[in-house]
Amino acid sequence: MASTSAATLLIGSTLSFGHKSGSLAQPKPFGVRLASRTSLASFSGLKATTLVSCEAESSFLGKESGVALQQSVARKVQKQSQRLQYHLQPQASFKVAILGAAGGIGQPLSLLIKMSPLVSALHLYDIANVKGVAADLSHCNTPSQVLDFTGASELPNSLKGVNVVVIPAGVPRKPGMTRDDLFNINANIVKSLVEAVADNCPDAFIHIISNPVNSTVPIAAEILKQKDVYDPKKLFGVTTLDVVRANAFVAQKKNLKLIDVDVPVIGGHAGITILPLLSKTRPSVSFTDEEVEELTVRIQNAGTEVVEAKAGAGSATLSMAYAAARFVESSLRALDGDGDVYECSFVQSDLTELPFFASRVKLGRKGIEALIPSDLQGLTEYEQKALDALKPELKASIEKGIEFAQKQAVAA
């Protein structure tokens, strides 16, 4: 995630054309000046001003050519300004709450979000040990104010006025543990936290990281429905880690420039429900059948790869924090008015017969602006078979989450 620092940008150029021949009258100089002045003081968003001026007096280019050049330059400047507007105008005006900020994912995630020029306040909540994390982060000289909240009694205040809520709270996987093994513990944690979100900041974007995401997102949806504040456009299961891994593994395998690689990942966020669409990789690249199977299996089992490598000391915390920070930054950009924000996420969907499904979505100020169906069109035979195979397992996980939330409501 890139961090934008304070800067002053001034672009200026003057072009003069003249011919010093003794037999020709010297034309008066023709000047073109393009200036874009942008001041980013302490990440404060100041509007960029663009100045285009063109002076032509009896130039050998002629008045009509001068006007044409002026219009051409103006059009180019306008296009550049539209593309760069977001990057040159970060506005530190959004509040982000991290619920589970003292955990293995929460701490590095808090650090990365603290670096965002779009965040004005960072609320850190956990049941213990969060004061030290907040004190530590508050020493970083980035503009966001860091506040800490400990225990259930302070949870409501941690959510007041928040724009984005991120929930990494829960227990991590251990060797031999599947995401489904985490269900009983993490389901109750997500339930209580989402209830607090519904009561205190129902309009916020909600990012669910707590596993198993295939079940915890449906749980969150049911809780919000019970509270009568459910907006499917603002509830996201963070599956960005699957995309991050797919991009990294494909770039490594094909010796590609990593920054250019983009692999859409659909389905869910566990085992075979994770389906990287290698045929849709950008830039376009060919794979052998063996490479497709090898990469697909590695992407699906990458979490287990980290759990086993850490030998009981934890799960994928750092890469998950990085991926979650990317998704948070994308959400903040969308809230800030960037009209070109796309991410893969596990959301309520009608792209398949399943009520929830991970796919690329377009983000805007009000959440999901559009699902992107094109990724599911023109699949290879391997991808279509894999999609058909994942649906029963994903369906069962979704139903398990919905059933849990409904039972809790009846019991209450």
Side-chain angles (χ1 to χ4, degrees), residues 94-109:
F94 299 105
K95 294 182 179 180
V96 177
I98 302 177
L99 309 184
I105 295 171
Q107 289 196 42
L109 174 58

Side-chain angles (χ1 to χ4, degrees), residues 12-297:
S13 61
T14 301
L15 308 177
S16 295
F17 302 89
H19 188 77
K20 293 187 177 180
S21 171
S23 60
L24 294 175
Q26 290 186 0
K28 294 185 179 180
F30 175 86
V32 178
R33 181 170 177 80
L34 166 63
S36 178
R37 296 185 178 87
T38 304
S39 177
L40 305 180
S42 300
F43 298 105
S44 296
L46 302 179
K47 291 187 178 180
T49 60
T50 303
L51 170 66
V52 181
S53 61
C54 181
E55 301 97 21
E57 272 185 35
S58 304
S59 166
F60 64 79
L61 291 176
K63 183 180 291 186
E64 291 180 0
S65 297
V67 171
L69 178 59
Q70 180 182 8
Q71 292 174 343
S72 174
V73 172
R75 283 194 298 270
K76 290 180 180 179
V77 170
Q78 185 179 21
K79 287 183 179 179
Q80 285 184 328
S81 294
Q82 290 172 348
R83 291 286 297 171
L84 298 176
Q85 185 178 26
Y86 165 74
H87 300 286
L88 296 177
Q89 297 185 62
Q91 298 180 16
S93 57
F94 299 105
K95 294 182 179 180
V96 177
I98 302 177
L99 309 184
I105 295 171
Q107 289 196 42
L109 174 58
S110 299
L111 172 60
L112 292 170
I113 294 177
K114 179 73 169 75
M115 295 167 63
S116 172
L118 290 167
V119 178
S120 61
L122 183 57
H123 293 187
L124 306 183
Y125 169 82
D126 216 316
I127 57 174
N129 304 322
V130 75
K131 286 189 180 296
V133 177
D136 200 356
L137 282 180
S138 69
H139 295 177
C140 299
N141 63 328
T142 61
S144 55
Q145 180 187 19
V146 180
L147 300 174
D148 62 272
F149 303 85
T150 303
S153 63
E154 296 186 10
L155 177 57
N157 286 336
S158 74
L159 296 168
K160 298 294 185 184
V162 165
N163 304 103
V164 176
V165 179
V166 192
I167 305 180
V171 298
R173 280 204 300 160
K174 296 178 181 179
M177 220 177 179
T178 67
R179 287 183 174 89
D180 201 49
D181 294 332
L182 303 177
F183 180 83
N184 288 331
I185 299 172
N186 288 355
N188 279 292
I189 292 172
V190 169
K191 172 185 174 292
S192 62
L193 294 177
V194 173
E195 286 175 340
V197 172
D199 291 336
N200 296 281
C201 56
D203 293 328
F205 285 19
I206 306 172
H207 296 181
I208 304 290
I209 297 174
S210 306
N211 275 316
V213 167
N214 292 352
S215 297
T216 53
V217 171
I219 289 172
E222 289 300 309
I223 298 301
L224 294 167
K225 287 177 185 177
Q226 292 165 17
K227 293 279 189 176
D228 199 28
V229 293
Y230 179 48
D231 184 348
K233 295 180 180 180
K234 295 183 178 180
L235 177 62
F236 306 92
V238 180
T239 61
T240 318
L241 180 54
D242 300 324
V243 176
V244 165
R245 286 166 168 163
N247 292 348
F249 299 164
V250 167
Q252 181 183 31
K253 186 75 175 177
K254 290 298 185 177
N255 195 27
L256 300 172
K257 189 176 180 181
L258 186 55
I259 196 170
D260 295 331
V261 179
D262 181 29
V263 182
V265 182
I266 64 170
H269 186 55
I272 66 165
T273 70
I274 301 169
L275 178 55
L277 299 180
L278 298 174
S279 68
K280 308 285 186 177
T281 298
R282 293 189 295 268
S284 181
V285 60
S286 60
F287 300 92
T288 65
D289 292 344
E290 292 75 17
E291 286 175 331
V292 168
E293 184 168 1
E294 176 190 341
L295 284 167
T296 299
V297 171

Side-chain angles (χ1 to χ4, degrees), residues 238-410:
V238 180
T239 61
T240 318
L241 180 54
D242 300 324
V243 176
V244 165
R245 286 166 168 163
N247 292 348
F249 299 164
V250 167
Q252 181 183 31
K253 186 75 175 177
K254 290 298 185 177
N255 195 27
L256 300 172
K257 189 176 180 181
L258 186 55
I259 196 170
D260 295 331
V261 179
D262 181 29
V263 182
V265 182
I266 64 170
H269 186 55
I272 66 165
T273 70
I274 301 169
L275 178 55
L277 299 180
L278 298 174
S279 68
K280 308 285 186 177
T281 298
R282 293 189 295 268
S284 181
V285 60
S286 60
F287 300 92
T288 65
D289 292 344
E290 292 75 17
E291 286 175 331
V292 168
E293 184 168 1
E294 176 190 341
L295 284 167
T296 299
V297 171
R298 188 183 179 197
I299 293 163
Q300 291 173 339
N301 296 325
T304 301
E305 183 179 313
V306 175
V307 169
E308 291 176 351
K310 289 190 174 182
S315 59
T317 54
L318 300 177
S319 54
M320 183 65 246
Y322 166 79
R326 165 177 154 169
F327 194 80
V328 171
E329 188 73 5
S330 291
S331 295
L332 294 173
R333 284 170 47 209
L335 284 166
D336 197 43
D338 189 339
D340 188 32
V341 182
Y342 295 83
E343 288 285 358
C344 288
S345 182
F346 186 64
V347 299
Q348 180 174 310
S349 173
D350 59 3
L351 295 184
T352 70
E353 64 273 21
L354 300 174
F356 294 89
F357 194 79
S359 68
R360 276 198 308 147
V361 299
K362 185 178 189 297
L363 299 176
R365 282 193 164 116
K366 295 183 179 180
I368 299 169
E369 288 190 348
L371 304 175
I372 310 300
S374 58
D375 288 337
L376 275 69
Q377 298 167 1
L379 300 180
T380 65
E381 182 180 356
Y382 179 91
E383 291 166 345
Q384 187 61 56
K385 286 182 178 179
L387 176 59
D388 293 338
L390 72 82
K391 287 180 179 178
E393 182 170 326
L394 182 54
K395 182 174 183 286
S397 296
I398 293 169
E399 290 175 347
K400 185 174 184 177
I402 294 173
E403 182 181 355
F404 169 85
Q406 291 177 344
K407 281 185 177 179
Q408 294 294 311
V410 171

